[in-house]
Amino acid sequence: MSGQLDVLMDRLGYRFKDPALLQKALTHSSYANEGRGSKESNERLEFLGDSVLGFVTAGYLFHKDRGPEGELTKLRAALVCEKALHSYSLQLGLGDFLLLGRGERNTGGAERPSILADAFEAVTAAIYLDGGLEAARTFLMRFLEKEASAHRKRHFKDYKTTLQEIIQQNPEEALEYVLTGESGPDHDKQFQVEVHLNSNVIGTGKGRSKKEAEQAAAKEALALMGYGR
């Protein structure tokens, strides 16, 4: 197993001072219950890893995303849900290293999303215990930043609607799109639009139609507010 652990540590980008912690993080309860090797499963590490993951994710979003609390909560949930954790595990190939009971392995446990998601949490906790919070944060950032960017791209296709939803969190705020210029011949016109928040310009955009220019202005406003990076 030591050779396999070396391979996995290369994938993790972290070298364990105590490799036994990593082995424990890979030990599913079905393996431990069979009494093979280590008798302690990764369940306690999953518990800790869930909290470390939540804390690091919340800190990342707090510093990188200036959206309202409701939007931060939704994005955090998307970054730490089972589907996301399963994806992170697949990127690492964690299923190849899991210690599973015979029955669990024979029924596809190494590919089961819930088992892989739990294993990712356990590995996170193992890194935290072995190297501290900064080591865990460094490990997680490569996944969180990529997933957050992909989530924003999926969520922010309609920039005007997204901007409106954010501004509506504060009923006293008002948005207005103002046409500030037109140029070019009729067959190739260019429109320029500003989006105002309480009379303050928060974004400008150009497009071949007013709608396109408004979307561009809303996109710029979202970027200035910390979205869509």
Side-chain angles (χ1 to χ4, degrees):
M1 184 70 181
S2 60
Q4 283 188 305
L5 290 182
D6 285 336
V7 173
L8 179 55
M9 282 190 274
D10 287 340
R11 294 187 187 180
L12 297 176
Y14 178 78
R15 305 300 299 183
F16 276 80
K17 296 184 283 291
D18 180 8
L21 271 172
L22 178 57
Q23 184 161 341
K24 186 182 294 184
L26 300 170
T27 303
H28 188 256
S29 58
S30 62
Y31 185 93
N33 291 338
E34 288 183 358
R36 299 163 61 191
S38 171
K39 293 184 179 180
E40 186 175 353
S41 76
N42 62 6
E43 290 178 347
R44 283 170 54 83
L45 288 175
E46 290 169 27
F47 168 77
L48 177 60
D50 178 69
S51 294
V52 174
L53 182 61
F55 178 75
V56 170
T57 303
Y60 163 65
L61 294 177
F62 179 82
H63 291 292
K64 295 293 184 180
D65 197 318
R66 292 195 289 273
E69 183 269 343
E71 291 299 322
L72 295 181
T73 299
K74 289 179 185 177
L75 185 50
R76 179 180 61 184
L79 298 185
V80 301
C81 68
E82 181 180 295
K83 180 179 178 181
L85 300 187
H86 175 224
S87 171
Y88 306 158
S89 288
L90 290 178
Q91 293 173 51
L92 293 168
L94 278 187
D96 298 336
F97 303 92
L98 291 178
L99 297 174
L100 299 168
R102 292 184 183 90
E104 193 66 65
R105 184 166 292 280
N106 291 338
T107 56
E111 299 173 355
R112 189 165 295 128
S114 60
I115 289 178
L116 288 173
D118 289 344
F120 185 86
E121 290 180 335
V123 168
T124 297
I127 292 174
Y128 167 73
L129 290 173
D130 191 76
L133 183 59
E134 284 309 309
R137 194 194 314 276
T138 298
F139 165 66
L140 291 171
M141 277 303 100
R142 61 197 264 208
F143 303 101
L144 296 179
E145 290 178 339
K146 182 178 177 181
E147 185 66 20
S149 177
H151 180 82
R152 290 187 182 108
K153 287 178 181 178
R154 290 192 299 268
H155 188 64
F156 295 144
K157 288 181 180 178
D158 184 350
Y159 300 106
K160 283 186 65 177
T161 298
T162 301
L163 181 60
Q164 184 67 34
E165 289 175 350
I166 292 170
I167 299 304
Q168 282 177 345
Q169 303 273 343
N170 299 301
E172 69 277 6
E173 307 283 351
L175 278 180
E176 182 184 8
Y177 291 87
V178 179
L179 180 65
T180 58
E182 294 181 36
S183 61
D186 288 342
H187 67 277
D188 189 24
K189 270 194 175 298
Q190 282 285 320
F191 296 86
Q192 182 166 320
V193 167
E194 293 177 347
V195 57
H196 294 190
L197 177 62
N198 298 333
S199 301
N200 297 312
V201 179
I202 60 171
T204 61
K206 293 181 179 180
R208 294 188 175 185
S209 67
K210 291 179 182 178
K211 287 184 178 180
E212 187 177 307
E214 289 173 353
Q215 285 284 352
K219 180 180 180 180
E220 181 177 275
L222 287 166
L224 291 172
M225 294 168 66
Y227 291 87
R229 291 187 230 172

